[in-house]
Amino acid sequence: MASSTVTSAQPERPPRPNLAFRRLRGKRSPAEFAAAVRRAAREIGERVSCDARYVGRVEAGEIRCPNYAYERVFLHMFPGRTLTDLGFAPRSSVRGRQARSTSESRGAGEPYETYDTRDTHNTHDLYETHDNNEESDVLRRAFMTSGATVAAASLGPLGLAFDAAAAGRPARRAGTGEAGALEEAVRRIRLLDDRHGADGLYRRAAAPLRTAYALLDAGASRQATADRLYTGAGELAISVGWLAHDSGRFDDARSHYAEALATARMNGDAGLEAHAFCNMAFLARDAGRPREAVRAAQAAQRAARPLGSARLMSLLSLREAGGWAGLADRVGCDQALVRAQTFFERGSSDADPEWMSFYGEAELEGLEAQCWSTLGDWPRAARHARRAGDLQDPHFTRNLALYSAELADDLARGGHPDEAAGAGMRCLDLLGEVQSSRVHTMLAGTARVLLPHRRASGVSTFLDRHGALPRPA
């Protein structure tokens, strides 16, 4: 249908070179940069066929805004930056009914998406099925790269069910009931993780995530509901990413966190963006990328600053401290820890996100213990780990096991094998309820340190009992 507000004789504007993107390429050739893009895509589970020609077209300004797959890859390559920072036009200025020009139209199998700002007659948007074009464009396009399809999905004990229409027909639009069910699924996953750890939950949680994307693809009856669905899907992606993270599936976790970040950016959700960067910083630290951890934590703080939650800023400062510790920067770590404590002392507020229910004084002590442990200050690390265990609410069984494992390792490395064995035994007592690869890995490291001290009081008993544990799958 022709637009009634646009004429067909609009002059064509020459593309403007993307100098910001060219600067990011640096001294690498277009082919070398394209190879880096493909590697980054594999890291987050995307499949793009970037080549030197694509890089050239971006730099020439012919591609004003990348498709969603490339967006995720570029934001993964350059944490903390937006598409605008990368020299692209805002998606809102190029999407919707704005048609692609003939010269920029995508060929079969071509891995990129190009846009023209000129409207043309007799051009329909492929997904223009809702009365509200903006909502249609967001909900229909946002997760095309996720592989989600509108199909029946049952989430069983995790509590979210979504009944789709028959195959080949679009599902009905989601309403407040589906948005509420999605939010409840996030809460239940977090609760189960707090009590039992991630290992037994990760594969089961994939089903709610697929359903969340199907809900997004189906569309929503109202914009307020669409916003809830976006936030819920993003939070669910983070929760599933954390389950992957805690069970040692770092590549899967990275992909889920990147998906959550893209969701946040698409919906302008600063709270979700801060949460995604928070977990990305934690993952980067655990994966041995401390500089990335620092940058992600700093990006999280930039997103979180306008939200007004001192407790959130405290946690994000701790994430930054963990990165500095991994870089062996004691001064940077100490400064971040001081900020974390200062923010924490301001107390809780109504602005604190719901997902931060785990963050109290015990977690503050536990994360500080991890920083000092990374820096090799075993006595200081043990002191904070002990306080974390003493302060922890018994509801958070997984965290109790984690703090006990941290204490055991710090004591063992600090030359106190008998006390380390006692802390290790307390951790082993909790493993009937907790399934966490993180905890198992920490205990295995402690056992290796204690092997030469088998004759010390309690050490032999700990080693024998640890050796009898079933190996995590």
Side-chain angles (χ1 to χ4, degrees), residues 127-176:
Y127 300 100
E128 187 181 318
T129 57
H130 294 310
D131 295 332
N132 183 330
N133 185 65
E134 177 72 9
E135 180 179 79
S136 170
D137 193 58
V138 172
L139 293 176
R140 292 289 177 181
R141 291 181 182 272
F143 287 95
M144 286 302 292
T145 59
S146 72
T149 57
V150 184
S154 174
L155 310 186
L158 294 179
L160 175 62
F162 174 60
D163 294 324
R169 292 163 50 200
R172 65 182 179 86
R173 296 186 192 181
T176 57

Side-chain angles (χ1 to χ4, degrees), residues 373 378 405-418 420-421 441-456 459-460 462-463 466:
S373 178
W378 312 119
E406 177 68 41
L407 177 60
D409 196 62
D410 295 334
L411 290 168
R413 296 177 190 277
H416 301 281
D418 51 344
T441 299
M442 293 175 68
L443 282 179
T446 301
R448 286 193 295 271
V449 175
L450 290 178
L451 274 174
H453 306 280
R454 181 177 284 274
R455 294 188 179 183
V459 172
S460 179
F462 166 74
L463 291 174
H466 176 265

Side-chain angles (χ1 to χ4, degrees), residues 263-277:
T263 305
R265 291 279 178 79
M266 285 185 282
N267 206 38
D269 189 332
L272 180 59
E273 180 175 341
H275 192 185
F277 271 128

Side-chain angles (χ1 to χ4, degrees), residues 209 213 232-242 253 256-257 259-260 263:
L209 190 56
Y213 295 150
E235 290 292 347
L236 186 56
I238 292 174
S239 292
V240 176
W242 164 248
H256 290 308
Y257 291 161
E259 197 139 38
T263 305

Side-chain angles (χ1 to χ4, degrees), residues 24-168:
L24 290 170
R25 175 161 66 86
K27 296 182 179 179
R28 288 174 287 187
S29 70
E32 290 170 336
F33 188 78
V37 172
R38 295 193 298 272
R39 283 195 300 271
R42 289 194 295 270
E43 289 176 358
I44 61 172
E46 284 291 355
R47 296 182 64 184
V48 298
S49 303
C50 187
D51 56 15
R53 177 173 172 266
Y54 176 78
V55 174
R57 296 192 69 195
V58 171
E59 293 178 358
E62 295 177 20
I63 298 174
R64 300 186 59 236
C65 188
N67 68 20
Y68 285 102
Y70 273 94
E71 177 181 0
R72 290 182 58 198
V73 175
F74 292 149
L75 296 183
H76 165 64
M77 292 178 69
F78 305 106
R81 289 183 168 90
T82 65
L83 282 181
T84 305
D85 296 332
L86 302 181
F88 293 108
R91 192 172 298 282
S92 59
S93 70
V94 296
R95 70 183 180 196
R97 298 184 182 183
Q98 298 160 339
R100 301 174 181 87
S101 69
T102 302
S103 63
E104 291 185 351
S105 61
R106 186 170 49 172
E110 200 167 354
Y112 41 82
E113 200 171 325
T114 56
Y115 298 87
D116 195 333
T117 57
R118 293 169 294 137
D119 285 313
T120 59
H121 293 292
N122 301 318
T123 304
H124 293 273
D125 185 86
L126 179 61
Y127 300 100
E128 187 181 318
T129 57
H130 294 310
D131 295 332
N132 183 330
N133 185 65
E134 177 72 9
E135 180 179 79
S136 170
D137 193 58
V138 172
L139 293 176
R140 292 289 177 181
R141 291 181 182 272
F143 287 95
M144 286 302 292
T145 59
S146 72
T149 57
V150 184
S154 174
L155 310 186
L158 294 179
L160 175 62
F162 174 60
D163 294 324

